[in-house]
Amino acid sequence: MTAYDVIVLAGGAAKRLGGADKPGVRVGGRALLDRVLAACAGAARTVVVGGRRATARPVVWTREVPERGGPLAALGAGLRLTTAEYVLVLSADLPFLGPGTVDALLAAAGRTGREGALCTDPDGRDQPLVAAYRAEPLRRELALIATEHGSLAGLPLRLLTAELDLARVEAGPDAAFDCDTWDDIAAARARIREHGAVLDEWMTSVKNELGIDLDVDTGLLLDLARDAAHGVARPAAPLTTFLVGYAAARASAGAGPEEAAAAVAEAARRATALALRWEAEASAAGDTADGAKPDAGREGTGTP
């Protein structure tokens, strides 16, 4: 995997949100900034340009000079604190950015002759704050712009991107979706509750909230909950999945995420088998109560 640092721009005025603290606005129970940080968890160093706040993982903080001096000034401030060959540059208001888009940008930026790569939205517009750049040409162009204009404050990003040889990455309709207005926030909150996405969004939010770096087979756990509810009693479903998690944690103490995921799968398998045995016994008891004969093989044939 390409080694990279990341700069997240989180210091805008959010005028279209009435001056609200946009990076702290929650979508799916998580701050927008934390959602962006989760997408680039593989960065060697994460620099956030903006006011300090609690975040889901450690970051390096800095501010542009002057404060709210615009994206180029913020980018210049963040770049001074990075050392990697590649720099991922993101805004703090991307609720649906995922690791897959980050990987695609880094791969495109690494192509021979390219100086970076940026996302394009469904309408073909460039998104320079969903991008990966080679650090050396990025520093060069920022220095040239600062020399020509006296500073980076108040200047548009297009002065930078026009001078760089950039690849374009079509990352789908969601990756570059940003939240500039309250209507955007409402749309993002509604989108994560759509039938096809709500479960994955919820699991991701819970794992981030609990600090769990674990890929689990959601279908396996749902099947377990179904079998426990059907074969034992409805309240058995949440209680059983809790006990499976506890057993897996004990079995994989000190192990890595892959071993922990395997422990969850094994505990779920055993619990599912137990629930199915309970269901079978209940069915057999019902048959006996209705006048059916018990299993003859168990009554006099010597069959174990």
Side-chain angles (χ1 to χ4, degrees), residues 262-287:
V264 171
E266 173 60 16
R269 183 194 65 76
R270 294 175 62 183
T272 296
L274 177 61
L276 293 176
R277 293 199 299 271
W278 271 61
E279 182 179 10
E281 288 180 14
S283 297
D287 289 342

Side-chain angles (χ1 to χ4, degrees), residues 125-225:
R125 292 186 295 262
D126 288 346
Q127 300 296 318
L129 296 184
V130 192
Y133 301 94
R134 288 183 182 270
E136 187 279 326
L138 186 61
R139 288 191 173 91
R140 179 195 69 220
E141 293 303 328
L142 284 174
L144 290 172
I145 293 170
T147 299
E148 180 179 353
H149 295 273
S151 77
L152 297 174
L155 299 178
L157 278 166
R158 65 176 179 272
L159 293 179
L160 173 69
T161 55
E163 299 300 327
L164 295 171
D165 183 5
L166 302 174
R168 267 63 182 176
V169 174
E170 296 181 8
D174 290 339
F177 181 92
D178 57 357
C179 294
D180 291 326
T181 68
W182 287 113
D183 285 344
D184 294 337
I185 296 291
R189 287 171 172 170
R191 192 174 301 184
I192 67 169
R193 287 173 170 78
E194 292 175 355
H195 176 71
V198 64
L199 188 58
D200 286 342
E201 283 284 350
W202 172 248
M203 292 294 288
T204 299
S205 293
V206 172
K207 288 190 287 185
N208 278 274
E209 186 73 16
L210 301 179
I212 298 172
D213 180 18
L214 180 66
D215 289 327
V216 297
D217 187 337
T218 304
L220 183 68
L221 293 178
L222 290 175
D223 288 345
L224 165 62

Side-chain angles (χ1 to χ4, degrees), residues 50-148:
R52 295 175 67 89
R53 69 191 66 235
T55 52
R57 64 178 180 84
V59 303
V60 177
W61 295 96
T62 191
R63 293 302 299 258
E64 70 274 32
V65 179
E67 287 190 13
R68 296 185 177 176
L72 276 188
L75 180 54
L79 192 60
R80 287 193 288 272
L81 300 177
T82 66
T83 59
E85 181 182 358
Y86 292 90
V87 178
L88 186 70
V89 177
L90 304 170
S91 61
D93 61 351
L94 303 166
F96 303 116
L97 181 73
T101 300
V102 170
D103 291 344
L105 286 168
L106 291 168
R111 294 173 189 156
T112 301
R114 294 297 191 178
E115 295 177 316
L118 48 73
C119 273
T120 58
D121 66 18
D123 295 324
R125 292 186 295 262
D126 288 346
Q127 300 296 318
L129 296 184
V130 192
Y133 301 94
R134 288 183 182 270
E136 187 279 326
L138 186 61
R139 288 191 173 91
R140 179 195 69 220
E141 293 303 328
L142 284 174
L144 290 172
I145 293 170
T147 299
E148 180 179 353

